Amino acid sequence: MTIETLSSNRSFGGIQSVHRHASAETGTDMVFSVFLPPQAIAGEKRPVVWYLSGLTCTHANVTEKGEYRRVCAELGLIFVAPDTSPRGEGVPDDPDGAYDFGLGAGFYVDATEAPFAANYRMRSYVERELPGLIAGHFPADMGAQAIMGHSMGGHGALTIGLRNPAAYRSISAFAPIASPMRCPWGEKALGGYLGPDRARWRDYDATALIEDGARVDALLVDQGEADAFLETQLKPELLAEACDRAGIPLTPRMQPGYDHSYYFISTFMEDHLRWHARRLG
C-alpha cells in the first residue's frame, strides 16, 4: 500500500508529517499525521501512541493544538493521529447537516446500516488497516502500542483497547463518552450506524464491554469539572462504577476549572504520555 506525503516539518529534533492514502476499508482517501521522534529518525524502532480525536475533528486538531511533540521527542514515542471518519464525494452525511452524526462523527464503529455501511468502517480502519500501514512505512515497534483519545475519540480508545487487550499495553482518555448507550450523542450514532437492536451496540460501549467481561490492567481518565457535556453526554461515573465492579484499576482525575477544549487536553497531555511511556517500556 502506498502513501502520499502532504507535509513534513522538523520539530524538537523529530519530524511531524501528514499523509494520505487510499483506504480499502472506507473506500475513500484517508489522511493521518505522524510524529517521528529523533530516535526513530536515527533508525530505532520506537513504541507507538495512537490518538483518536473527537466530534467534528480531523487529524489536524491534535496535530496543531495537542502540544505533544516535545515530550514524544524526549521519550522516543511515535504519535499517530488518524481522522475521525471517512470523507469525500459520495460519502453519506447526516441528512440535516448535524455535527454529531456523519462526517466528522464516525464513532469508531463498523456501520451495518445503509447508506453508511459502505464507508463508515472506522473500527476496522483503526484496528487493522492503519496499523498495517504504519508498520510498513515507519520504524514502529508494533509490539509496544498505546491508545488514547478525546471525547468521541476517548470512547474509541476505550472500546478499541478493551476489545484488543493484547494489542495495547496502555489505554487512556480525555473526557471520554463513557457509555454511548446511555447518552444522546451515542444513542443517535449507534442507532444510525448499527440499527435499533441495542444488543449490537454493546461492542461499542466501554461500560458494557467491561460488564460483559473485558479486562485491562489499568485505565487513566482525565475529566474537566467545567466541561459543559459532563452530565448529559460523558457520564464518567458510569465507567468508574463498571471498573470498580470488575476490579479494573482506574485513575479518574477530575480537573477543577477545565472544560472540553484543547486548552484542557494540552495541559494534561504530558501526564498521559509519561504514563503510557512507563507501560511501553
Side-chain angles (χ1 to χ4, degrees), residues 9 18 34 87 141 165 172 228 255:
N9 301 90
V18 178
V34 179
R87 302 175 195 269
D141 180 359
S172 74
Q255 305 293 358

Side-chain angles (χ1 to χ4, degrees), residues 168-187:
Y168 304 98
R169 293 190 188 177
S170 52
I171 308 163
S172 74
F174 299 99
I177 304 173
S179 183
M181 295 178 66
R182 289 180 277 181
C183 77
W185 279 344
E187 289 182 339

Side-chain angles (χ1 to χ4, degrees), residues 85-86 91-93 102-103 105-106 109-111 116-122 193:
S85 69
V91 176
D93 195 5
L103 299 183
V109 307
D110 280 355
F116 304 101
N119 303 116
Y120 284 77
R121 296 186 52 79
M122 291 303 294
Y193 291 133

Side-chain angles (χ1 to χ4, degrees), residues 47-49 75 77 143-147 168-172 216-220 249-251 271-281:
V48 179
V49 176
L75 300 174
L77 301 174
Q145 298 183 78
I147 192 165
Y168 304 98
R169 293 190 188 177
S170 52
I171 308 163
S172 74
V216 292
D217 291 337
L219 295 172
L220 170 64
L250 168 68
T251 302
D271 290 355
H272 281 241
L273 291 172
R274 293 191 183 280
W275 188 84
H276 287 297
R278 289 193 294 272
R279 287 154 180 80
L280 291 168

Side-chain angles (χ1 to χ4, degrees), residues 3 22 45 47 56 88 92 96 144 147 165 180-181 189 212 223 259 264 269 277:
I3 64 173
K45 284 201 167 185
T56 75
D96 300 319
I147 192 165
M181 295 178 66
D212 293 345
Q223 172 65 61
D259 59 15
F264 158 61
M269 177 67 79

Side-chain angles (χ1 to χ4, degrees), residues 29-164:
D29 284 351
M30 295 294 291
V31 176
F32 62 94
S33 72
V34 179
F35 177 72
L36 294 180
Q39 301 88 333
I41 296 172
E44 295 180 29
K45 284 201 167 185
R46 301 303 303 171
V48 179
V49 176
W50 298 91
Y51 180 92
L52 305 184
S53 293
L55 283 168
T56 75
C57 293
T58 70
H59 70 283
N61 295 75
V62 69
T63 305
E64 296 171 2
K65 297 183 284 190
E67 300 185 23
Y68 55 85
R69 280 174 285 269
R70 176 185 59 80
V71 182
C72 284
E74 175 193 336
L75 300 174
L77 301 174
I78 296 174
F79 192 96
V80 182
D83 202 346
T84 50
S85 69
R87 302 175 195 269
E89 186 176 353
V91 176
D93 195 5
D94 186 282
D96 300 319
Y99 76 96
D100 57 354
F101 187 77
L103 299 183
F107 269 81
Y108 303 98
V109 307
D110 280 355
T112 57
E113 297 297 294
F116 304 101
N119 303 116
Y120 284 77
R121 296 186 52 79
M122 291 303 294
R123 171 182 180 171
S124 291
Y125 179 71
V126 173
E127 288 184 353
R128 294 196 297 273
E129 184 176 18
L130 189 54
L133 195 71
I134 296 298
H137 289 84
F138 300 92
D141 180 359
M142 303 307 286
Q145 298 183 78
I147 192 165
M148 63 192 300
H150 168 234
S151 194
M152 179 187 73
H155 138 77
L158 291 173
T159 55
I160 289 171
L162 286 163
R163 287 194 305 263
N164 301 277

